[in-house]
Amino acid sequence: MTTPSALERPTGVPLGRRLTARLVLLPAVALALLPPRHLRTVLGILRRGAAPATTAQAQNARDAMCAVSLRCAGPKGCLPRSLGAALVCRLGGTWPVWCTGVRVTPPFTAHAWIEAEGRPVGEGVPQGYFARLVAVEPLPRSPGR
């Protein structure tokens, strides 16, 4: 397997979304330093009151993170990228499924990603390529909301 020599960063991300991504970049990097148990607790709190993100909303948030940060666009930036995309979605009133897990085919690698409408967003892999170990899903909306 070869490694790409250049990163592909999304173009055409609107200024407002790029500014939002810059706003959440530092908190996303800080969250990435938390132990998994604490990270799951924090994300569980942040998701409260948010509607489930659509694939388009989640993809736009992911693209924004990759557009503003080389670290997030890189192959080892999955954790801050996924956290940042979840935070961008949350600022818009939605929440994707935030996931960490492993690749199911050798070689073993850990990965973090977001999902929407039952599919990984922006990963370019088929359904079932990753096995979830931790997932922070949107809370079900109560009737009358």
Side-chain angles (χ1 to χ4, degrees), residues 38-139:
H38 297 304
L39 179 56
R40 186 177 185 164
T41 300
V42 170
L43 295 179
I45 293 167
L46 291 174
R47 70 181 173 175
R48 292 180 185 166
T54 65
T55 300
Q57 290 166 325
Q59 183 68 57
N60 288 340
R62 187 184 189 281
D63 286 349
M65 293 308 298
C66 292
V68 301
S69 169
L70 281 174
R71 180 178 184 174
C72 288
K76 295 186 179 188
C78 64
L79 187 54
R81 175 177 59 236
S82 64
L83 291 167
L87 294 175
V88 169
C89 283
R90 184 61 189 102
L91 288 175
T94 64
W95 186 261
V97 179
W98 179 83
C99 306
T100 59
V102 295
R103 185 166 52 183
V104 297
T105 57
F108 167 84
T109 54
H111 191 56
W113 68 97
I114 58 172
E115 294 181 1
E117 300 172 351
R119 306 188 74 73
V121 175
E123 296 297 328
V125 297
Q127 186 75 8
Y129 187 80
F130 298 114
R132 284 186 193 179
L133 298 177
V134 176
V136 180
E137 301 188 26
L139 292 173

Side-chain angles (χ1 to χ4, degrees), residues 20-47:
T20 302
R22 283 211 185 273
L23 176 72
V24 303
L25 183 58
L26 185 59
V29 171
L31 284 172
L33 299 174
L34 291 176
R37 180 182 62 190
H38 297 304
L39 179 56
R40 186 177 185 164
T41 300
V42 170
L43 295 179
I45 293 167
L46 291 174
R47 70 181 173 175

